[in-house]
Amino acid sequence: MTAKIIDGKHFAEDLRGRIAGHVARLKAAHGITPGLAVVIVGEDPASQVYVSSKAKQTAEVGMNSFKHELPADTPEADLLALIQQLNADPAVHGILVQMPVPKHIDPNKVIEAIDPAKDVDCFTPANVGKVQIGLPGPVSCTPLGCLMLLRDELVSLEGKHAVIIGRSNLVGKPMAQLLLRDNCTVTVAHSRTKDLADVVRQADIVVAAVGRPQMIKGDWIKPGAVVVDVGINRIPAPEKGEGKTRLVGDVDTQAAAKVASAITPVPGGVGPMTIACLLANTITTASLMSGLTPPGDLTA
Ligand code: NDP
């Protein structure tokens, strides 16, 4: 079997097109322009790239984009005060503080300061709980993106055995909740899991969120399984020249693609979905804050 390569870039473009349509309808029918505030503290180059593309894509779908760039030595109290200001601003429907924040700032205090109604990253305990019990609200962006790709590929996930490798609060745990909600049988594996290869061999759906380059081997994949590779790892690429690097996922894609029915590539798979889902969450929060039902195609 040669797996279909799931084109996350194309899916994300299509999703942003639908989001732009929802923005236009919110403006025309209800006079609401969704607004997303992105806060970055410090000059970490990778974070700056993320924040710039978030701001760019926010504006491209017709939303208001508010970018706050703070120096690395910003006192924690000042950041918390800015979050309170954004919480109170009716033009802001989503607040994202780019992580990691500098070491002198407690990320838990930052997360807890964000009004759950505007928590588009779905980091606050209130929203994590809502995902668990199935109440409407924002959903963790990367898992939501994975879920959309899986639904598109498989139509119904019911009864599938999903094995998630990784149990982080960012990816693994919310992914497990979402797949349970879609009636999968879910196994969550982690660094203490015994016989990981055998566990993965049972999976109809594999979600790899480990952060270890090409750790999931081709012979771990059950024939016909769908593989979603969340990992983003940079490895040396001497074939591109001295000192050059390239991105790979957590799965040995070439080998797995010989066995799986479909697989997400890295780059171009899950990655582009994350920002698109951040925008989807902003539509969700803007809708809920205005007493409207969020569009079903943007939520879990
Ligand atoms: P974390 O480091 O927070 O979590 C990694 C998880 O993998 C942990 O639960 C850990 O287990 C588990 N793990 C580590 N080593 C092993 C092993 N040898 N066997 C089995 N499990 C193991 O990472 P994140 O969840 O934040 O991210 C995972 C990957 O996804 C990273 O590459 C990250 O860059 C990428 N990512 C990509 C995104 C995207 O938009 N595409 C968004 C977010 C993340 P334990 O809990 O026992 O320590």
Side-chain angles (χ1 to χ4, degrees):
M1 182 177 288
T2 304
K4 170 186 162 189
I5 304 297
I6 297 174
D7 188 346
K9 198 165 169 238
H10 182 263
F11 193 101
E13 270 166 25
D14 180 66
L15 179 58
R16 288 198 300 275
R18 282 186 277 135
I19 289 169
H22 289 300
V23 172
R25 277 189 287 282
L26 278 173
K27 281 184 191 172
H30 303 282
I32 302 163
T33 303
L36 174 62
V38 180
V39 182
I40 179 168
V41 188
E43 282 95 39
D44 176 64
S47 294
Q48 297 229 337
V49 171
Y50 285 137
V51 164
S52 295
S53 47
K54 283 168 186 170
K56 181 168 168 274
Q57 293 186 27
T58 304
E60 276 170 5
V61 296
M63 294 187 192
N64 286 328
S65 169
F66 308 101
K67 194 167 157 192
H68 296 266
E69 294 177 284
L70 307 181
D73 60 355
T74 300
E76 183 182 87
D78 289 9
L79 175 60
L80 297 179
L82 172 61
I83 294 171
Q84 294 308 338
Q85 192 188 312
L86 297 171
N87 283 343
D89 185 343
V92 173
H93 302 92
I95 302 170
L96 178 148
V97 180
Q98 184 65 41
M99 297 288 173
V101 284
K103 288 201 166 44
H104 66 280
I105 296 176
D106 179 350
N108 290 322
K109 279 195 196 165
V110 171
I111 290 167
E112 283 181 18
I114 297 172
D115 180 349
K118 301 187 177 187
D119 166 31
V120 280
D121 259 335
C122 193
F123 283 169
T124 58
N127 286 329
V128 172
K130 280 186 177 176
V131 170
Q132 183 149 353
I133 57 180
L135 292 176
V139 173
S140 308
C141 300
T142 301
L144 178 59
C146 295
L147 183 73
M148 287 181 180
L149 294 176
L150 282 167
R151 283 180 176 166
D152 187 63
E153 186 56 37
L154 289 166
V155 184
S156 168
L157 308 189
E158 184 161 323
K160 305 279 185 206
H161 186 183
V163 173
I164 301 160
I165 311 131
R167 57 173 166 180
S168 69
N169 292 334
L170 185 65
V171 187
K173 284 183 196 155
M175 189 75 248
Q177 293 298 341
L178 295 182
L179 291 172
L180 266 181
R181 277 169 62 172
D182 267 34
N183 296 319
C184 287
T185 302
V186 178
T187 300
V188 182
H190 46 78
S191 66
R192 315 292 168 86
T193 297
K194 298 221 183 326
D195 304 321
L196 181 61
D198 286 340
V199 173
V200 175
R201 279 189 193 108
Q202 296 167 30
D204 305 307
I205 294 169
V206 179
V207 180
V210 187
R212 291 182 184 263
Q214 300 169 320
M215 188 189 94
I216 314 296
K217 304 301 176 200
D219 65 358
W220 298 16
I221 305 297
K222 177 168 144 181
V226 176
V227 179
V228 175
D229 191 353
V230 181
I232 302 177
N233 310 287
R234 199 164 271 289
I235 62 165
E239 72 281 3
K240 288 167 76 178
E242 206 188 307
K244 297 284 183 195
T245 59
R246 67 186 174 101
L247 290 182
V248 295
D250 290 341
V251 178
D252 179 348
T253 312
Q254 266 199 337
K258 293 188 178 130
V259 193
S261 63
I263 188 166
T264 62
V266 177
V270 174
M273 293 297 291
T274 298
I275 298 182
C277 287
L278 176 73
L279 304 178
N281 276 340
T282 309
I283 300 273
T284 296
T285 53
S287 303
L288 289 171
M289 286 168 71
S290 313
L292 303 168
T293 304
D297 65 325
L298 302 186
T299 57

